[in-house]
Amino acid sequence: VPERPSMQLEVGQTLDLNARVWLNGVDEASVAAEIVLGSLDDEQRLRDLQVAPMSRTQEHGGPIAFVGQFVPADSGQLSFGVRVRPDSPDLINPHELGLSKWAQ
């Protein structure tokens, strides 16, 4: 697992995140981008997940820009990532297709 930069926030302080996503022909209306955060267990898996939606802002000649923010509710070490997943009212569960992709 690559070393990731760390930062310190105070409880109640907002962290703003930006992501650029290349959809490679997928209709932008059929995807959702989300911030996913939680604590890491001993096996480096996220636990006690919190999910915050991201909003589309504009295209940059190919990628779609998303912005979002979260406010940690508790103190302690947290890890977070950005994922993009299918978004459709026809899905029973937003993860049923198993097509979520994580930012790198």
Side-chain angles (χ1 to χ4, degrees):
V1 175
E3 184 83 18
R4 300 202 185 234
S6 64
M7 62 186 339
Q8 187 170 343
L9 296 174
E10 293 183 19
V11 173
Q13 184 178 356
T14 301
L15 176 64
D16 297 312
L17 290 176
N18 300 299
R20 290 185 305 151
V21 178
W22 285 261
L23 295 177
N24 296 328
V26 174
D27 179 17
E28 69 180 80
S30 66
V31 299
E34 302 168 319
I35 301 167
V36 180
L37 67 138
S39 55
L40 290 176
D41 66 14
D42 292 338
E43 296 175 10
Q44 301 299 300
R45 293 180 297 198
L46 282 175
R47 298 288 181 207
D48 304 321
L49 297 180
Q50 299 173 48
V51 178
M54 298 183 82
S55 302
R56 287 176 196 83
T57 57
Q58 60 186 358
E59 293 186 38
H60 291 286
I64 306 298
F66 290 91
V67 296
Q69 58 182 216
F70 68 86
V71 179
D74 296 314
S75 61
Q77 187 171 356
L78 296 173
S79 217
F80 63 89
V82 174
R83 74 176 171 205
V84 177
R85 62 168 178 77
D87 187 35
S88 170
D90 296 329
L91 295 174
I92 295 170
N93 179 305
H95 309 290
E96 71 179 89
L97 298 177
L99 296 174
S100 293
K101 296 294 180 188
W102 289 89
Q104 296 183 16

